[in-house]
Protein backbone atom coordinates (compact mmCIF):
# COMPACT_ATOMS: atom_id res chain seq x y z
CA UNK A 1 0.00 0.00 0.00
CA UNK A 2 1.20 3.50 -0.88
CA UNK A 3 0.31 6.67 0.97
CA UNK A 4 0.82 10.27 -0.19
CA UNK A 5 0.52 13.55 1.69
CA UNK A 6 0.51 16.89 -0.10
CA UNK A 7 1.60 20.17 1.45
CA UNK A 8 2.83 23.62 0.54
CA UNK A 9 -0.28 25.30 -0.77
CA UNK A 10 -1.36 28.78 0.20
CA UNK A 11 -2.62 32.16 -0.88
CA UNK A 12 -0.31 34.17 -3.10
CA UNK A 13 -0.54 37.07 -5.50
CA UNK A 14 -0.22 36.69 -9.24
CA UNK A 15 3.40 36.44 -10.29
CA UNK A 16 4.57 34.84 -7.07
CA UNK A 17 5.82 31.29 -6.51
CA UNK A 18 4.95 28.26 -4.43
CA UNK A 19 6.55 24.87 -4.01
CA UNK A 20 4.28 21.94 -3.34
CA UNK A 21 5.51 18.75 -1.73
CA UNK A 22 4.21 15.21 -2.03
CA UNK A 23 5.55 12.86 0.63
CA UNK A 24 5.31 9.24 -0.50
CA UNK A 25 5.41 6.30 1.87
CA UNK A 26 4.72 2.59 1.78
CA UNK A 27 5.55 0.10 -0.94
CA UNK A 28 7.29 2.20 -3.56
CA UNK A 29 8.69 -0.64 -5.63
CA UNK A 30 5.48 -0.81 -7.65
CA UNK A 31 5.40 2.87 -8.60
CA UNK A 32 5.68 3.72 -12.28
CA UNK A 33 5.08 7.45 -11.88
CA UNK A 34 3.95 10.16 -9.50
CA UNK A 35 1.68 12.77 -10.95
CA UNK A 36 0.53 16.16 -9.77
CA UNK A 37 -3.10 16.87 -10.58
CA UNK A 38 -5.34 19.83 -9.88
CA UNK A 39 -9.04 20.50 -9.63
CA UNK A 40 -10.44 23.99 -9.93
CA UNK A 41 -13.93 24.86 -8.72
CA UNK A 42 -16.63 23.39 -10.97
CA UNK A 43 -14.03 21.72 -13.17
CA UNK A 44 -12.78 18.19 -13.55
CA UNK A 45 -9.51 17.10 -12.06
CA UNK A 46 -6.67 17.25 -14.56
CA UNK A 47 -3.12 15.98 -14.71
CA UNK A 48 -0.55 18.76 -14.47
CA UNK A 49 2.84 17.05 -14.46
CA UNK A 50 4.39 13.68 -13.84
CA UNK A 51 7.71 12.14 -13.00
CA UNK A 52 8.54 8.58 -13.95
CA UNK A 53 10.45 6.08 -11.89
CA UNK A 54 13.48 6.66 -14.11
CA UNK A 55 13.33 10.39 -13.43
CA UNK A 56 11.90 11.51 -16.74
CA UNK A 57 9.35 14.27 -16.46
CA UNK A 58 6.38 15.43 -18.47
CA UNK A 59 3.90 18.30 -18.42
CA UNK A 60 0.34 17.67 -19.46
CA UNK A 61 -0.80 21.29 -19.68
CA UNK A 62 0.57 23.82 -22.13
CA UNK A 63 -0.35 26.55 -19.67
CA UNK A 64 2.20 25.37 -17.09
CA UNK A 65 5.16 24.55 -19.32
CA UNK A 66 7.99 26.91 -18.60
CA UNK A 67 6.44 27.95 -15.28
CA UNK A 68 6.09 24.69 -13.32
CA UNK A 69 8.84 22.17 -12.61
CA UNK A 70 8.35 18.71 -11.17
CA UNK A 71 11.24 17.06 -9.35
CA UNK A 72 11.91 14.59 -6.59
CA UNK A 73 14.26 13.92 -3.71
CA UNK A 74 14.73 10.17 -3.43
CA UNK A 75 16.37 10.45 -0.02
CA UNK A 76 13.21 12.09 1.29
CA UNK A 77 10.73 10.11 -0.83
CA UNK A 78 9.24 13.42 -1.83
CA UNK A 79 8.07 14.79 -5.16
CA UNK A 80 7.93 18.54 -5.60
CA UNK A 81 6.05 20.89 -7.88
CA UNK A 82 7.76 24.25 -8.17
CA UNK A 83 5.25 26.77 -9.47
CA UNK A 84 6.54 30.11 -10.69
CA UNK A 85 4.79 33.14 -12.15
CA UNK A 86 1.50 31.93 -10.78
CA UNK A 87 -1.71 33.12 -12.38
CA UNK A 88 -5.26 33.35 -11.00
CA UNK A 89 -6.25 30.49 -13.31
CA UNK A 90 -3.82 28.24 -11.43
CA UNK A 91 -6.15 28.42 -8.44
CA UNK A 92 -7.16 24.86 -7.56
CA UNK A 93 -6.73 22.04 -5.11
CA UNK A 94 -3.54 20.25 -6.06
CA UNK A 95 -3.24 16.50 -5.55
CA UNK A 96 -0.51 14.00 -6.10
CA UNK A 97 -1.23 10.42 -7.01
CA UNK A 98 0.47 7.21 -7.99
CA UNK A 99 0.54 5.36 -11.27
CA UNK A 100 1.39 1.75 -10.51
CA UNK A 101 3.44 -0.44 -12.81
CA UNK A 102 1.07 -2.04 -15.29
CA UNK A 103 -1.68 0.37 -14.32
CA UNK A 104 -3.50 2.75 -16.61
CA UNK A 105 -4.94 5.24 -14.15
CA UNK A 106 -3.65 7.16 -11.18
CA UNK A 107 -4.82 6.22 -7.72
CA UNK A 108 -3.86 6.70 -4.08
CA UNK A 109 -4.73 10.38 -4.30
CA UNK A 110 -3.96 12.41 -1.21
CA UNK A 111 -6.26 14.95 0.40
CA UNK A 112 -4.78 17.75 -1.64
CA UNK A 113 -3.45 21.19 -0.89
CA UNK A 114 -5.24 24.42 -1.79
CA UNK A 115 -3.50 26.94 -4.01
CA UNK A 116 -5.18 30.31 -4.38
CA UNK A 117 -3.74 33.00 -6.62
CA UNK A 118 -5.17 36.47 -6.32
CA UNK A 119 -5.01 39.01 -9.11
Amino acid sequence: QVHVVESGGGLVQAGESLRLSCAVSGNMFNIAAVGWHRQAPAKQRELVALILANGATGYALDSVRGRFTISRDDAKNTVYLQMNRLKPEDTAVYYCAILRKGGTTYDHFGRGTQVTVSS
Side-chain angles (χ1 to χ4, degrees):
Q1 189 74 352
V2 176
H3 188 58
V4 301
V5 177
E6 305 94 336
S7 62
L11 171 62
V12 297
Q13 293 188 334
E16 293 184 339
S17 300
L18 280 174
R19 188 178 77 161
L20 306 183
S21 298
C22 171
V24 183
S25 60
N27 182 4
M28 287 173 281
F29 291 102
N30 198 33
I31 295 176
V34 176
W36 278 103
H37 300 67
R38 70 185 184 187
Q39 186 166 20
K43 293 188 177 181
Q44 288 193 336
R45 188 164 55 196
E46 57 186 356
L47 176 66
V48 176
L50 64 98
I51 185 163
L52 300 179
N54 65 6
T57 61
Y59 300 89
L61 300 177
D62 290 339
S63 62
V64 308
R65 287 196 185 94
R67 297 190 299 123
F68 290 11
T69 303
I70 189 169
S71 63
R72 72 181 185 211
D73 184 333
D74 290 338
K76 297 181 178 180
N77 293 330
T78 300
V79 175
Y80 302 101
L81 186 67
Q82 177 68 44
M83 306 186 296
N84 298 328
R85 303 194 306 279
L86 282 161
K87 303 176 181 180
E89 50 265 42
D90 294 319
T91 294
V93 179
Y94 284 72
Y95 302 88
C96 65
I98 303 300
L99 178 65
R100 288 176 285 176
K101 293 178 182 177
T104 57
T105 58
Y106 284 87
D107 55 22
H108 297 289
F109 283 85
R111 293 189 174 188
T113 186
Q114 176 71 49
V115 172
T116 303
V117 185
S118 63
S119 57

